[in-house]
Amino acid sequence: MRSAIVILCAVLLAGAALAQTAPPGNSWKLVWSDEFDGLAGAPPNPQYWTYDLGTDCCGNNELETYTKSTENVHLDGMGHLDIRVENPSPGVYTSARIKTEGLLAVTYGRVEASIKIPSGQGMWPAFWMLGSNFASVGDPNCGEIDIMENIGKTPATAYGSLHGPYNYNETTLYQLPNGALADDFHVYAVEWSANQITFYVDDNAYATDTNTGTGWVFKDPTNPFFIILNVAVGGNWAGAPDATTQFPQDMLVDYVRVYEAADTPGPVINAGGIVDVATGAAALAPGSLASIYGQGLSALTNSSTFDAAANAFSENATGVQVFVNGAASPLLYLSPAQINFAVPWNSPVGTPVNVEVVLNGAQSNPVSITLTRTAPSAFGQVYATPGPVHGLNMAFIECINMAVYPQPSEYCTIWGNGFGPTNPPLADGAPAPASPLPWTMNQCALTIGGVPAKVTYCGGAPGELIYQLNFVYPSGVPVEICAVKSTITINGNSGDIMMWPPQPCSGP
């Protein structure tokens, strides 16, 4: 939704939504939807939607202030989302802008919504998408797909646009044959492949844009697009409300749905593509958090897989399932190229087992792994700044005094997985209870720089799926070594990590 409009008049749970049918005349499979069913006055589902807040977010000289108040965005109790624009005092306008950023994103397919837009001079409703790398590269470099925009002064016109880097701007329009778009619900959609995007209103294809090379950022499968719904007020393009504009105004959304092509190839797991999520190592144990790498593993990027009603991560999210030795696994993150999951606790140890991904009934190639009783690892980060530890996997460490390098006798904590079963036992995909603390049933040992550390707790991290290891920082660790090699040993199995201090040390 940008201010520069060129008129060419020519990026975790679908439930019952998966029973919806595909658009007529097309071969599509529904992979996600929000039907906005719920009690009147309730906010939109927080598993799917978050908010942009404040004033004039896009540099368009807009007049609204976006809020998360249910005065401005709520379910109406009749199966609709209501984005309401209010004018509480002269020159003051409140509205809402909701998005799936960080929760759910789309790579290719058909994205559609049934919407009854508001009306009146100064109204600027929109249904659109931005690339998931928006936070790092900004708009338009991330790519922008405007599925539907309208301004009140052209009440029968829907605008569809693409924006990208190098001044790539393409906008086309659809003219309703009779009446105004605000008179009723209309279905606004795009059908998107790597090299082509087609715009629809009520299944009328009115424009197709194809890959022209420069500026076409819509073909990168590693940069899925998130969905946005909002109503702006005023701005350079729409113009300010005038005496004819009535308030409040409402944009009603009956549903938002995402489909994939019915002939999409089945998922493929890469050879050696099942690894520990913390370190990328091949060793895994029951309860470990693991990553699967491959192609076509999911139709969506979905990080909202936690089922609050079950207090556990879902074993079937947006049509994706992961099976270890035939047992469904809790899913933590989904994307076309990567799935993060938890290895079921009852998985057999010491014998090869198959891991498979099922996407909307299509099964991947099986990949065999062999689990050990424990496979200790620690979560880390790849340091971004070039230097002596550039590119190394380093463990997060937190000590009481974080202002300096960890000191002897300080109490510190690291986090990881693969520490083995706990007592009381943990359930598949369920966070560890806060009390009593679930200790491991294995003896945990930790050395830092070759020096043994006293472990005071080794078990489930309260409220998390990961483990927590508390220890007393030992004396004699050589501080002149910037990245200190550390080893966790549990039940005879060791995991090596690089432990990075809170601030760079003076060594080489």
Side-chain angles (χ1 to χ4, degrees), residues 265-305:
V268 176
I269 303 175
N270 294 344
I274 303 173
V275 297
D276 178 79
V277 76
T279 61
L284 293 168
S288 285
L289 303 187
S291 293
I292 298 174
Y293 292 96
Q295 301 86 47
L297 301 175
S298 171
L300 301 169
T301 297
N302 183 358
S303 57
S304 60
T305 57

Side-chain angles (χ1 to χ4, degrees), residues 9-10 147 149-150 154-160 171-178 181 186-188 199-207:
C9 299
I147 303 172
E149 293 183 276
N150 170 266
T154 58
T157 305
Y159 301 88
T171 298
T172 52
L173 59 85
Y174 174 83
Q175 192 73 24
L176 192 68
N178 299 293
L181 291 168
H186 295 276
V187 176
Y188 305 95
F199 293 83
Y200 292 82
V201 174
D202 297 329
D203 285 321
N204 298 303
Y206 68 91

